[in-house]
Amino acid sequence: MATFISTPSHENLPRTADVVVIGGGPAGAAALWAIDRAAPTTRTVLLEASESLGAGSSVASLECFRSCWPTLCLARQLERSIEVFLHADEYLGEGAGKDIAVRQNGYFFCAFTEAQAAGLKADVARLHEIGLTHVEYLEAEAIRQRFPWVGERVIAGKFDPMAGWLDSNALIYRFARSAKNAQIVLGVGEIQICVEHGKVIGVTTPFGDIATPRVLIAAGAGAVALARGVGITLPVVIRPRQSFTTAWRDERIPPTSPMIISSAPFAHLRPEAHEGAIFGFEYTWHNKYAGAAYGTNAQHDGLLEPVFPVANLKDPRFPSITLALLARQFGHRDGEGFANPRYLRGIRHNIGYYVCRGDEAAYRVGNEGTHIPYESERAIIDAASEIDGLFLSIAHAGHGIMSSPTAGEIAASRVLGLPFTDPTFADFGIGVHWVEHDERVL
Ligand SMILES: Cc1cc2nc3c(=O)[nH]c(=O)nc-3n(C[C@H](O)[C@H](O)[C@H](O)COP(=O)(O)OP(=O)(O)OC[C@H]3O[C@@H](n4cnc5c(N)ncnc54)[C@H](O)[C@@H]3O)c2cc1C
């Protein structure tokens, strides 16, 4: 089992490592686990700025997973990750299945109009084409029988029965603990990566230096500053995204309900969180709360620089806007369903960053060689070609928990110089600027 150092000092900080991983969220913890599985004698050190693991975006997440990805590399990444979740005891140690508490209730995407229904039908056809034949297109009658609580307005749907949710914090700790040769140091911020003659030679921390030939940056939004420290501008866009947990849930929605995803702009709810539910959507974030001083990237509805603490960027209207939007789409009158004011009592409002592949790493080439950027769903898991020994596992966008086991394995392959278990995983390379069907899905 990994060793945890929670009060670091000059005396107890490890002085050497084969690999240093910076960041103890899903990406960093999973990489630690996967490196240990692939090469068990590797001495790894994970450095986490906070007092606990999983202190970044995962705190705000809905902790959901789904298998229905039209991009081949993502479909394969999720297929493998779900295999790990469903056999957690085997991959993450005895009792892991109980700890991570997978609920496989499915995902149900709703269509309210014929045009939306046609869109979902086309999605399902694409998913079947790449072998995801378990994903169903449902007509109104089947929906009335299986999910009557979504109501009469929903005329068609896409159902992914492999999908569900889990306890992300338990998952992160299971990854970390099961890396036998790992030392995990909590409360270490202000890390500098040290480079000499174009090669990584170690890291500097407030508690001293660690000599290492390989560093993996897996620090979520914190990756931007770490990379800049060695002269690298990461090709990412930073988008604040919000969610909220309610203490109550409309009694018509049973605990067996799938995750429900409404139509554009795709507000969604995980209909379970004790007695309540967790809601979210990719609400267009405006710079009003950040202020001009931080700089915004208007084209991408994102920030040029992450702002810490991210809580300063919460839009207090987000919970009521989300519920009003859902009530309108599902046709709930005042006081009923999503328009029931009980939802707004005792809310926990969360915010975190989606770190996404940016323009320089996601574009089509148009006529005359012009670059046409698009919003990619692919993470960046690769070597940073500018510096020997520096690796990245970043830009996990809105699916960094569900994809974490495979993201860890891809990062381990990169760091250890091993072949990928699936050739499509090369598409997470920083220089792969376009792949088919790699568009934002939710
Ligand atoms: C509202 C919302 C809903 C979401 N819902 C889902 C969902 O349902 N399913 C899903 O799969 N994903 C979801 N996500 C996305 C998911 O949370 C992220 O993709 C995932 O957390 C990214 O993992 P990460 O390890 O790259 O970064 P993070 O989770 O941000 O973790 C980074 C870690 O690195 C540490 N760190 C940062 N800087 C430094 C530094 N300089 N030195 C040391 N440590 C550092 C941080 O403290 C943190 O612990 C959601 C996100 C949000 C915001």
Side-chain angles (χ1 to χ4, degrees), residues 54-79:
S57 297
S58 57
V59 174
S61 98
L62 274 74
E63 312 180 293
C64 291
F65 62 88
R66 66 191 152 109
S67 70
C68 55
W69 292 86
T71 327
L72 208 50
C73 59
L74 278 153
R76 298 268 165 80
Q77 188 189 29
L78 266 297
E79 184 186 357

Side-chain angles (χ1 to χ4, degrees), residues 15-175:
R15 293 296 164 198
T16 63
D18 297 323
V19 182
V20 168
V21 176
I22 307 180
L32 210 64
W33 161 79
I35 290 170
D36 184 76
R37 276 174 58 82
T41 54
T42 313
R43 293 170 308 128
T44 48
V45 170
L46 183 145
L47 301 175
E48 163 57 47
S50 174
E51 308 303 316
S52 57
L53 298 178
S57 297
S58 57
V59 174
S61 98
L62 274 74
E63 312 180 293
C64 291
F65 62 88
R66 66 191 152 109
S67 70
C68 55
W69 292 86
T71 327
L72 208 50
C73 59
L74 278 153
R76 298 268 165 80
Q77 188 189 29
L78 266 297
E79 184 186 357
R80 167 68 182 158
S81 293
I82 294 172
E83 144 91 12
V84 173
F85 299 150
L86 297 183
H87 300 93
D89 279 25
E90 184 186 323
Y91 287 105
L92 299 164
E94 208 184 315
K98 191 163 172 278
D99 277 9
I100 70 169
V102 170
R103 293 288 301 269
Q104 213 170 9
N105 285 18
Y107 262 46
F108 182 68
F109 297 76
C110 304
F112 299 91
T113 65
E114 293 297 340
Q116 290 165 359
L120 292 185
K121 201 169 198 173
D123 282 358
V124 173
R126 163 66 189 165
L127 296 167
H128 285 198
E129 196 180 287
I130 58 169
L132 303 178
T133 51
H134 58 276
V135 182
E136 297 173 78
Y137 175 73
L138 300 179
E139 309 268 6
E141 199 182 322
I143 295 167
R144 297 301 154 254
Q145 280 172 15
R146 289 166 66 175
F147 314 119
W149 59 92
V150 297
E152 296 294 317
R153 286 218 178 170
V154 179
I155 61 160
K158 173 173 82 178
F159 181 59
D160 177 353
M162 292 294 289
W165 49 89
L166 46 71
D167 183 326
S168 62
N169 218 41
L171 177 69
I172 292 167
Y173 271 87
R174 274 288 176 169
F175 280 139

Side-chain angles (χ1 to χ4, degrees), residues 22-29 47-50 52-65 107 172 188-191 218-223 226 239-243 259 268 280 308 350-355 393-403:
I22 307 180
L47 301 175
E48 163 57 47
S50 174
S52 57
L53 298 178
S57 297
S58 57
V59 174
S61 98
L62 274 74
E63 312 180 293
C64 291
F65 62 88
Y107 262 46
I172 292 167
V188 190
E190 296 170 50
I191 300 161
L226 280 163
R239 299 189 175 100
R241 290 290 182 242
Q242 303 171 69
S243 66
M259 164 99 157
H268 44 272
F308 296 106
N350 314 301
I351 188 165
Y353 287 119
Y354 277 20
V355 181
S393 180
I394 56 167
H396 298 283
H399 48 275
I401 294 162
M402 63 177 96
S403 60

Side-chain angles (χ1 to χ4, degrees), residues 91-334:
Y91 287 105
L92 299 164
E94 208 184 315
K98 191 163 172 278
D99 277 9
I100 70 169
V102 170
R103 293 288 301 269
Q104 213 170 9
N105 285 18
Y107 262 46
F108 182 68
F109 297 76
C110 304
F112 299 91
T113 65
E114 293 297 340
Q116 290 165 359
L120 292 185
K121 201 169 198 173
D123 282 358
V124 173
R126 163 66 189 165
L127 296 167
H128 285 198
E129 196 180 287
I130 58 169
L132 303 178
T133 51
H134 58 276
V135 182
E136 297 173 78
Y137 175 73
L138 300 179
E139 309 268 6
E141 199 182 322
I143 295 167
R144 297 301 154 254
Q145 280 172 15
R146 289 166 66 175
F147 314 119
W149 59 92
V150 297
E152 296 294 317
R153 286 218 178 170
V154 179
I155 61 160
K158 173 173 82 178
F159 181 59
D160 177 353
M162 292 294 289
W165 49 89
L166 46 71
D167 183 326
S168 62
N169 218 41
L171 177 69
I172 292 167
Y173 271 87
R174 274 288 176 169
F175 280 139
R177 287 206 180 100
S178 52
K180 290 172 291 301
N181 273 316
Q183 291 183 284
I184 296 166
V185 194
L186 302 171
V188 190
E190 296 170 50
I191 300 161
Q192 285 284 334
I193 300 163
C194 307
V195 176
E196 233 176 61
H197 309 302
K199 280 188 175 166
V200 166
I201 56 159
V203 295
T204 298
T205 84
F207 308 104
D209 299 345
I210 306 174
T212 182
R214 285 168 289 185
V215 168
L216 173 70
I217 299 181
V224 175
L226 280 163
R228 190 185 302 112
V230 286
I232 296 177
T233 305
L234 294 177
V236 293
V237 178
I238 309 283
R239 299 189 175 100
R241 290 290 182 242
Q242 303 171 69
S243 66
F244 60 96
T245 308
T246 63
W248 177 84
R249 181 179 75 245
D250 184 349
E251 50 280 340
R252 283 175 299 191
I253 305 178
T256 51
S257 167
M259 164 99 157
I260 297 170
I261 294 114
S262 193
S263 62
F266 310 112
H268 44 272
L269 69 141
R270 166 184 146 174
E272 190 236 30
H274 300 290
E275 299 299 302
I278 315 183
F279 291 77
F281 87 100
E282 301 187 358
Y283 167 66
T284 301
W285 180 88
H286 296 292
N287 62 3
K288 184 171 162 194
Y289 294 92
Y294 297 121
T296 57
N297 180 336
Q299 192 194 345
H300 285 296
D301 149 46
L303 292 171
L304 296 177
E305 284 290 320
V307 175
F308 296 106
V310 61
N312 292 347
L313 303 181
K314 277 184 201 171
D315 181 340
R317 301 166 306 171
F318 178 74
S320 53
I321 288 174
T322 307
L323 287 160
L325 170 69
L326 285 166
R328 198 179 67 210
Q329 289 179 323
F330 283 86
H332 296 167
R333 287 192 304 264
D334 259 6

